[in-house]
Amino acid sequence: MARQTHPQIVTANDLFEGDVIYLTASGDWSRDHGDAAVAHDGEEAERLLGIANAQPGRIVGAYLADVTIGPDGRPQPVHFREAFRTRGPSNYFHGKQAEA
Amino acid sequence: MYAYDDFDADFVRARVAEFREQVNRRIDGSLTEDEFKPLRLKNGLYLQLHAYMLRVAIPYGTLNSRQMRQLAMIAERWDKGYGHFTTRQNVQFNWPKLKDVPDILDALADVEMHAIQTSGNCIRNVTADHFAGAAADEIEDPRPTAELLRQWSTDHPEFQYLPRKFKIAITGSPNDRAVTKAHDIGLRMVRNEAGEPGYEVIVGGGLGRTPMIGKTVRDFLPKADLLPYLEAILRVYNLAGRRDNKYKARIKILVHETGTEEIRAMIEEAFAEQKALFQAPPADLVARIEAAFAPPDFDNTQSLAFDRAQADDPVFRSFVETNVTEHRNPAYGIVSVSLKPVGGTPGDATADQMRVLADLAERYGHDELRVSHEQNIILPHVRKADIPAVHAELKKAGLATANIGLISDIIACPGMDYCALATARSIPIAQEIATHFDALKLERDIGPMKIKISGCINACGHHHVGHIGILGLDKAGVENYQITLGGDSTETATIGERTGPGFAAEDLIPAIEAIVETYLDLRHTADETFLDAYRRLGARPFKDAIYHEHRDNARAA
Ligand code: SF4
């Protein structure tokens, strides 16, 4: 397993809507990146991914994404791809950002 | 235009019903995602970065007003009110919900459309010159051939599981507007010395990770031999193409690794076998297809309205200069409608705009529309006398941008604003370039200039064949853009050369400006195009301009 340098969260796409979702501490899903449950070590990350993958009737393509912890204590994306996924496309004000 | 017969209609309906069943089974949990994914892809349904995306086939880019209106309806009812026209002459909807997709496919079937073979390792939607049947320089309309190929390739049992996807493009004009040399098979309609019609067959072109210009394997293939010959090519590829490595599985790699002579011999050998076994398509089918593409009833009434409008209205005059192309009938013009308003998303049209285009096609355009691989919409047959009225309507709809072929007529793939495979964004770069050069008011002075942008190595934005090509990359978690110069997508096709290290997004526009300034400084005359100047001068002065002036900004590639 690659050496983990950041805390991680689990993200996926919703099976029905297709939109980007995040696994929360209760094992449910939120559309808000800040609600994601944060794993601080590899073992916890695998445990969270296992919870996600046990819900194939609800989600597609779960994976672990690196985060940092913001001043408000909530996770923030590290990579720009994940930052875009929290908002939606940048060419129009639509997608997630318009519905927030 | 080709109309479905009962077989076509039943086939498409049956596929929708089958897919509806598959979606239901995915939703009720009887299919896993691993089982469902290949099934949805067979129906053009992808899961992208933020949502599902449905890719709808527009065969050889041709559609009528009824079909365009239906696309508008779908955009409004099941999506976010717009559609995205692509470099494959298709349309994509970016926000469908899984449960709605069977209804969308039914709505498409209502107007003889579908999403079959817009994904997967099969023969994809055949593309063609967007001026087909209208261009003054045309030898023959390529669409009957394209339609024959569509019927031949749709659900062809032998070619559903090729090593990789397979793309065929066809042009009927010596001036290649279909990028035939960058397709798996490119067909150019030609005549032999006896004046008989046939095809030059080009094999093994393609962009992506390993860009290549196709090789001519036949200078002249008689028309009657087309299907057995293509079967021979596909058979050779299906058997010998690499399946061990996805990146080496396209026919361009097979041609490259085997050598053109050897491939030609293999194809000819397979062709000899095929031809003996092959039954020609029934004559009545061929006649029916050809009749469907008979030229419309042209109205040759002369009028001075067109000339008068040009003399009176400089805005109209500049629209004509860039957006109207010579038609084979002198009383007509081909109107290219730009989907590249300055600062807009290349290729996007709102539902309202689609309806305006449908109305214009119906009222002034013999009910025909085309999608160009450059992500614009074409009204192929407009009486010159009606072009001023068409222009006025386009203006009201925000569709009158007079920039076809100029620096803001940029191809940009969806990039990381939509695409799950992207390594960087494309659309904002296109928006910035267009806005920047609009502010400089240099666009017309620069003249013909093709900028093409891809958000990853897959090159859907054709960056390798852009005069200026831009490839978005991810350099250690930051968007970075690599420039290529001197690419050409026409009959003189060339792959552009990399200039060197890429640029951060904020340094890219100054680099593009430095390239353009160098061209303006060094061109012989205002008539020497950027591409001609680049071919004369080579890369050096351009590299010097972007790396000397901006050396500190260039990031290590
Ligand atoms: S070039 Fe890459 S980013 Fe652009 S549409 Fe194709 S796969 Fe997506």
Side-chain angles (χ1 to χ4, degrees):
Chain A
M1 191 184 297
R3 195 170 64 88
Q4 194 181 330
T5 52
H6 286 282
Q8 290 184 309
I9 60 166
V10 174
T11 180
N13 288 76
D14 181 84
L15 169 65
F16 306 101
E17 308 274 308
D19 54 352
V20 176
I21 49 176
Y22 303 96
L23 184 73
T24 67
S26 66
D28 207 342
W29 295 88
S30 167
R31 304 174 83 242
D32 184 346
H33 184 273
D35 294 343
V38 180
H40 291 275
D41 60 54
E43 207 174 310
E44 176 64 359
E46 288 305 318
R47 189 185 73 81
L48 290 178
L49 194 57
I51 294 171
N53 284 331
Q55 304 180 42
R58 205 163 159 203
I59 60 130
V60 185
Y63 63 91
L64 293 163
D66 289 350
V67 293
T68 54
I69 305 300
D72 59 357
R74 285 156 56 98
Q76 293 180 340
V78 170
H79 195 278
F80 64 89
R81 182 179 193 271
E82 293 307 319
F84 296 144
R85 288 179 80 244
T86 68
R87 296 193 287 268
S90 61
N91 55 331
Y92 304 116
F93 186 74
H94 71 338
K96 205 167 250 197
Q97 58 213 336
E99 288 154 20
Chain B
M1 255 186 70
Y2 182 76
Y4 280 7
D5 62 14
D6 289 348
F7 176 86
D8 298 322
D10 291 348
F11 170 77
V12 170
R13 287 287 179 197
R15 279 291 292 264
V16 178
E18 181 187 59
F19 188 56
R20 187 178 292 282
E21 196 49 41
Q22 290 162 347
V23 168
N24 288 341
R25 286 165 64 211
R26 176 67 182 105
I27 288 174
D28 75 16
S30 24
L31 283 178
T32 65
E33 186 60 21
D34 283 351
E35 289 162 338
F36 179 62
K37 186 176 174 185
L39 305 175
R40 71 166 153 79
L41 289 175
K42 273 191 164 295
N43 290 280
L45 185 63
Y46 290 72
L47 184 57
Q48 293 285 26
L49 204 58
H50 308 287
Y52 287 101
M53 179 271 278
L54 182 68
R55 181 179 295 150
V56 176
I58 300 179
Y60 32 91
T62 294
L63 71 171
N64 60 25
S65 59
R66 183 164 157 255
Q67 292 171 321
M68 188 63 118
R69 279 197 197 98
Q70 193 78 335
L71 295 178
M73 187 280 281
I74 290 168
E76 229 154 40
R77 180 157 172 202
W78 288 296
D79 208 87
K80 290 185 190 273
Y82 69 98
H84 175 72
F85 291 93
T86 79
T87 54
R88 300 270 313 135
Q89 300 183 297
N90 291 325
V91 66
Q92 294 179 177
F93 292 109
N94 287 319
W95 305 94
K97 309 270 184 270
L98 179 60
K99 70 168 174 36
D100 294 333
V101 174
D103 290 342
I104 299 175
L105 294 178
D106 258 329
L108 290 169
D110 288 345
V111 294
E112 305 183 350
M113 295 182 84
H114 61 70
I116 299 164
Q117 290 185 200
T118 59
S119 175
N121 293 340
C122 55
I123 301 174
R124 299 286 187 89
N125 188 34
V126 175
T127 53
D129 181 1
H130 43 266
F131 292 165
D137 58 7
E138 187 169 274
I139 296 168
E140 199 175 314
D141 188 340
R143 288 172 307 158
T145 300
E147 175 57 32
L148 185 67
L149 294 183
R150 173 165 85 126
Q151 297 192 23
W152 160 75
S153 63
T154 301
D155 236 22
H156 192 305
E158 192 179 338
F159 305 135
Q160 293 301 304
Y161 296 94
L162 295 166
R164 280 285 277 142
K165 58 187 165 184
F166 202 90
K167 300 176 182 175
I168 304 176
I170 172 160
T171 175
S173 296
N175 298 307
D176 183 2
R177 289 173 288 265
V179 205
T180 56
K181 293 190 174 175
H183 280 76
D184 296 294
I185 295 179
L187 297 172
R188 304 181 67 197
M189 302 191 78
V190 288
R191 286 187 187 276
N192 65 7
E193 278 165 12
E196 293 152 347
Y199 308 94
E200 177 189 346
V201 184
I202 301 159
V203 176
L207 303 177
R209 185 175 298 256
T210 318
M212 294 205 184
I213 298 298
K215 314 287 183 297
T216 297
V217 289
R218 260 295 184 113
D219 289 319
F220 184 81
L221 180 75
K223 265 185 137 179
D225 288 343
L226 182 66
L227 293 185
Y229 196 80
L230 293 197
E231 293 238 348
I233 298 173
L234 265 298
R235 184 160 287 184
V236 166
Y237 169 56
N238 211 6
L239 289 170
R242 289 181 62 167
R243 292 175 191 264
D244 58 324
N245 180 340
K246 183 177 168 203
Y247 302 116
K248 298 195 168 180
R250 298 292 290 266
I251 195 171
K252 63 188 172 186
I253 304 291
L254 179 68
V255 173
H256 181 73
E257 289 186 347
T258 312
T260 310
E261 287 313 313
E262 178 80 19
I263 274 289
R264 188 179 288 132
M266 287 162 76
I267 293 169
E268 290 295 335
E269 192 185 335
F271 172 57
E273 284 167 23
Q274 280 303 113
K275 199 177 167 184
L277 300 171
F278 208 85
Q279 282 185 336
D284 59 337
L285 171 75
V286 174
R288 178 176 129 90
I289 293 174
E290 277 174 1
F293 295 99
D297 249 341
F298 290 123
D299 169 1
N300 296 321
T301 320
Q302 293 299 317
S303 154
L304 294 175
F306 181 69
D307 296 334
R308 213 176 290 136
Q310 282 197 83
D312 293 350
D313 178 0
V315 175
F316 180 67
R317 189 163 59 241
S318 65
F319 177 81
V320 171
E321 260 169 40
T322 45
N323 294 38
V324 177
T325 308
E326 213 186 324
H327 193 281
R328 64 206 299 175
N329 182 320
Y332 276 71
I334 302 170
V335 177
S336 293
V337 179
S338 168
L339 297 184
K340 324 281 179 63
V342 171
T345 299
D348 277 11
T350 64
D352 285 342
Q353 289 177 326
M354 290 186 221
R355 275 190 286 263
V356 167
L357 290 165
D359 291 348
L360 291 174
E362 196 168 50
R363 187 149 171 220
Y364 300 110
H366 294 278
D367 205 22
E368 270 200 45
L369 296 141
R370 308 284 173 73
V371 181
S372 77
H373 79 269
E374 289 171 314
Q375 301 178 288
N376 295 313
I377 301 292
I378 317 296
L379 295 164
H381 312 292
V382 184
R383 224 161 54 99
K384 279 188 180 152
D386 292 329
I387 296 179
V390 167
H391 179 245
E393 291 300 317
L394 291 172
K395 244 189 343 198
K396 280 194 245 163
L399 287 169
T401 314
N403 66 345
I404 298 293
L406 302 181
I407 197 167
S408 64
D409 182 11
I410 298 169
I411 288 182
C413 79
M416 204 181 274
D417 282 306
Y418 297 92
C419 179
L421 301 172
T423 43
R425 287 173 302 165
S426 316
I427 296 167
I429 301 299
Q431 290 171 315
E432 275 180 53
I433 293 172
T435 308
H436 183 79
F437 283 94
D438 185 56
L440 295 178
K441 297 291 166 228
L442 274 177
E443 184 158 59
R444 281 177 184 266
D445 195 15
I446 297 164
M449 168 68 90
K450 307 246 185 220
I451 298 191
K452 304 183 195 246
I453 311 175
S454 303
C456 82
I457 193 76
N458 290 328
C460 303
H462 295 188
H463 65 277
H464 294 294
V465 289
H467 301 166
I468 299 179
I470 299 170
L471 166 63
L473 296 167
D474 173 348
K475 288 278 176 230
V478 178
E479 287 169 295
N480 186 276
Y481 295 89
Q482 198 169 74
I483 297 176
T484 51
L485 294 176
D488 172 15
S489 64
T490 70
E491 60 284 356
T492 45
T494 322
I495 301 294
E497 297 168 77
R498 265 180 61 180
T499 54
F503 293 84
E506 62 273 22
D507 300 324
L508 180 65
I509 304 296
I512 302 292
E513 191 176 343
I515 290 165
V516 170
E517 276 171 3
T518 305
Y519 156 64
L520 293 174
D521 285 348
L522 297 181
R523 68 183 175 185
H524 273 327
T525 65
D527 288 340
E528 191 182 34
T529 64
F530 174 81
L531 187 61
D532 288 342
Y534 181 83
R535 284 179 170 162
R536 173 172 60 82
L537 294 159
R540 179 49 51 202
F542 299 95
K543 285 190 189 176
D544 286 350
I546 59 177
Y547 292 113
H548 287 178
E549 288 173 30
H550 302 279
R551 187 194 317 239
D552 297 341
N553 299 333
R555 305 271 187 274

